[in-house]
Amino acid sequence: MILTLLKSPRAAPFIYAVALIILWELAVRIGDMPVYILPAPSVIVGAIVKYWSPILKNSLVTLWTTLAGFLLALVGGLALGLLVGWSKAIYSGLYPLMVGFNSIPKVAVVPILVIWFGIGVVPAIITAFLIAFFPVVVNVATGLATIEPETEDVLRALGASKWDVMTKIGIPRALPYFFGSLKIAITLAFVGSVVSETIAANAGLGHMMLAAQSQFNVPLVFAGLVMLAVEGIVMYAVMAEIEKRTTGWARRGGVR
Amino acid sequence: MFVSLDGVRLAYPSDYGEVLALDGLTMGIEEGEFAAVVGPSGCGKSSLMRLATGLHLPQSGAIRVADKPVTGPLSITGMAFQNPSLLPWRTTLANVMLPLEIVRPHRRRLKHERTAYTQKAEDLLSLVGLEGFGARFPWQLSGGMQQRANLCRALIHDPVLLMLDEPFGALDAFTREELWAVMQDLHAQKRFTVILVTHDLREAIYLADKIFVMSARPGRIISEHRVPFPRPRPMDITYEREFVDLVQELRGEIADARKEVA
């Protein structure tokens, strides 16, 4: 019975997660770990129940700042990706700039954002945007750069303008790449918003964890981590589902 | 002459310096004629296609199609390549109708007369034996069926000149012969002018009225043959004496053209 469950790919994620939690609980209890180093899962659950109201409030703040930054990244990334994919000259001009910009650790930008916008949600949204938009641009530009020359010839011989080629071939062709980048972008957006919240914010999970840490409330810090993981997994699953639904043709549906 | 190239020279830059693809190429094709171009590989046959459709302009020489000098892409032509290049996110029917979204005046009329245009596309599909396959996606079709759909896409806007660049090259022998017959029927019915570039001499003779043999690069026309067989031509003709003799003659000429380079 247990053996068949272990072999089922549907049950596997739950079994592995539960196993990890049990292992963690046992390790803490047997090793007699102090709670301010590593709280046991049961203690963390206790903290979630005890502080549910501030946790919920801050989780929602983090969620909406992340989503706001993420949406900006989608729009901006799609627009810039199309621009970069439009011509070789724009591509070779902008690409080094973007690579240089992307290699700046975004943590280093947060103090500047605080000077410009003050402490609050705006720096978090912008940090999430800055970190999430690069993979979107690269993916969209790749999709456009890999149009088959014959397909383009067929259209151009008919008198198609650059705009026709873009809307009839380029954009549909880049969409699977775009939707594929959403999964990466949402994960990075969480990194961005939380980094910014831990540096300069008055709300959000990052801010809450920083406050809890300064009071040595380690179970609450871990409760914050758990909430981040939950939000991350849920958003990732949503993006994966969107990708699956929008790009059926690229997966060939498995039927022939 | 409906299509005429006169002393055409085409060179293009490459990593190894300038490559002279065509030089002093002269040829003429009458309206409604089925012309085939054969020659050793790398002789610039595909460059010829790009010139006649206006995708490329020659460095010197004159190209005229339908009594007008060619100065840019010509929407009165249809093109089909060896790679069917159908768009995988569109159904077969939507792929066939793609040129209507580009070419004037169809692109303006398409919205209001969608039913009529759809009917036209479906008629064309059944003409090539793809009746009822319009709703399938290209990747759900076999290679031969994709190439049939590709021909429909090349013909949907009623081009007066059809350019075929080895369209049957990647198919198995039986499917290829089937499509020769389809091509012959289409030509008999619609009477467009065709330029077919091919490596397959049997294909050239079976389909064409006139065959041009090209030299090795830089390509020019070294000989011109009329194909005497009456139409419609049955497939068996390809094994008859006169047919085989013509194949041998063309083979000989191309072999000589290859030797010149080596």
Side-chain angles (χ1 to χ4, degrees):
Chain A
M1 164 70 190
I2 292 172
L3 260 177
T4 46
L5 257 181
L6 273 176
K7 280 180 186 158
S8 131
R10 283 183 160 275
F14 301 100
I15 294 173
Y16 279 73
V18 170
L20 175 71
I21 292 168
I22 292 173
L23 213 65
W24 179 356
E25 183 81 34
L26 285 178
V28 170
R29 291 194 179 213
I30 291 167
D32 205 12
M33 198 81 79
V35 83
Y36 55 84
I37 302 281
L38 183 66
S42 54
V43 178
I44 297 172
V45 172
I48 294 176
V49 173
K50 187 174 167 194
Y51 301 107
W52 70 270
S53 160
I55 287 177
L56 181 68
K57 200 187 82 198
N58 288 302
S59 295
L60 288 177
V61 171
T62 300
L63 186 64
W64 93 256
T65 49
T66 304
L67 283 179
F70 172 70
L71 289 177
L72 285 176
L74 292 198
V75 176
L78 191 58
L80 193 63
L82 291 177
L83 184 72
V84 167
W86 188 272
S87 88
K88 280 243 156 64
I90 302 178
Y91 181 88
S92 47
L94 279 182
Y95 206 71
L97 283 179
M98 290 195 312
V99 170
F101 193 75
N102 189 52
S103 57
I104 299 171
K106 298 303 171 292
V107 193
V109 185
V110 178
I112 301 169
L113 294 176
V114 172
I115 294 173
W116 288 349
F117 301 103
I119 286 175
V121 289
V122 180
I125 292 174
I126 294 177
T127 315
F129 161 75
L130 288 177
I131 203 167
F133 113 125
F134 193 70
V136 181
V137 177
V138 171
N139 270 282
V140 172
T142 307
L144 293 178
T146 49
I147 295 176
E148 293 86 350
E150 280 130 346
T151 319
E152 201 177 338
D153 275 355
V154 167
L155 256 69
R156 289 219 307 117
L158 295 170
S161 62
K162 185 82 191 173
W163 177 252
D164 286 332
V165 175
M166 271 298 178
T167 52
K168 304 289 180 203
I169 307 179
I171 295 173
R173 202 174 186 296
L175 280 185
Y177 294 83
F178 170 71
F179 285 112
S181 72
L182 297 193
K183 289 187 293 194
I184 308 167
I186 189 71
T187 328
L188 289 176
F190 268 107
V191 174
S193 59
V194 174
V195 158
S196 175
E197 280 170 2
T198 40
I199 296 175
N202 35 36
L205 283 174
H207 171 75
M208 182 192 85
M209 285 161 67
L210 201 68
Q213 180 234 25
S214 65
Q215 296 156 12
F216 269 95
N217 191 345
V218 181
L220 183 56
V221 176
F222 273 83
L225 282 182
V226 170
M227 289 339 271
L228 280 175
V230 169
E231 288 188 357
I233 290 173
V234 170
M235 292 320 293
Y236 185 92
V238 170
M239 295 311 144
E241 187 61 27
I242 291 176
E243 184 192 2
K244 212 159 96 186
R245 278 167 190 256
T246 46
T247 54
W249 64 264
R251 297 160 179 275
R252 304 286 192 263
V255 211
R256 211 157 228 288
Chain B
M1 286 291 160
F2 185 69
V3 179
S4 73
L5 289 88
D6 194 10
V8 166
R9 175 194 162 92
L10 177 72
Y12 55 89
S14 81
D15 296 343
Y16 315 101
E18 193 169 75
V19 174
L20 189 55
L22 304 172
D23 197 13
L25 183 131
T26 300
M27 65 192 286
I29 298 153
E30 305 281 1
E31 182 156 19
E33 208 168 29
F34 199 128
V37 180
V38 297
S41 60
C43 68
K45 295 192 296 277
S46 298
S47 306
L48 179 67
M49 304 286 295
R50 299 177 64 84
L51 284 174
T53 46
L55 280 173
H56 256 133
L57 296 178
Q59 270 86 25
S60 64
I63 302 177
R64 295 176 70 85
V65 174
D67 290 323
K68 282 189 215 87
V70 174
T71 52
L74 283 179
S75 59
I76 55 165
T77 62
M79 280 176 116
F81 296 96
Q82 179 172 346
N83 174 0
S85 68
L86 299 169
L87 306 177
W89 56 88
R90 284 175 168 243
T91 62
T92 305
L93 187 71
N95 263 295
V96 170
M97 292 176 74
L98 177 66
L100 300 175
E101 297 168 25
I102 309 286
V103 177
R104 272 164 251 276
H106 304 294
R107 72 187 289 168
R108 264 187 302 113
R109 293 187 198 151
L110 187 60
K111 218 177 237 168
H112 304 288
E113 296 165 40
R114 186 162 278 277
T115 353
Y117 277 116
T118 308
Q119 189 57 47
K120 187 180 174 188
E122 275 169 358
D123 289 348
L124 204 52
L125 281 174
S126 40
L127 204 58
V128 300
L130 280 183
E131 193 165 9
F133 285 96
R136 303 265 190 109
F137 284 93
W139 35 273
Q140 295 171 319
L141 303 180
S142 69
M145 289 159 99
Q146 290 186 25
Q147 205 47 270
R148 286 166 200 249
N150 189 17
L151 284 178
C152 291
R153 182 178 63 185
L155 292 172
I156 188 71
H157 58 294
D158 292 319
V160 290
L161 176 62
L162 181 63
M163 308 291 287
L164 302 174
D165 190 352
E166 296 193 47
F168 316 121
L171 304 174
D172 67 89
F174 287 106
T175 313
R176 197 179 307 161
E177 290 184 0
E178 256 171 53
L179 281 169
W180 293 352
V182 167
M183 196 60 237
Q184 180 173 249
D185 292 347
L186 282 172
H187 181 242
Q189 201 167 344
K190 304 202 174 243
R191 283 286 162 218
F192 38 71
T193 310
V194 188
I195 302 179
L196 166 71
V197 163
T198 181
H199 278 297
D200 186 336
L201 301 177
R202 277 179 71 225
E203 174 174 303
I205 300 168
Y206 177 77
L207 284 171
D209 301 311
K210 195 196 257 178
I211 298 174
F212 296 94
V213 181
M214 276 177 82
S215 67
R217 206 156 56 200
R220 63 195 158 77
I221 303 297
I222 49 176
S223 74
E224 195 179 314
H225 297 261
R226 280 232 149 256
V227 182
F229 311 117
R231 292 179 186 278
R233 298 170 184 162
M235 198 53 67
D236 299 342
I237 201 181
T238 62
Y239 298 103
E240 276 170 25
R241 180 87 211 184
E242 287 166 86
F243 193 100
V244 177
D245 286 346
L246 189 49
V247 173
Q248 292 297 356
E249 195 185 337
L250 291 175
R251 252 178 67 98
E253 286 178 16
I254 294 172
D256 290 343
R258 279 166 60 99
K259 255 181 248 151
E260 277 172 41
V261 223

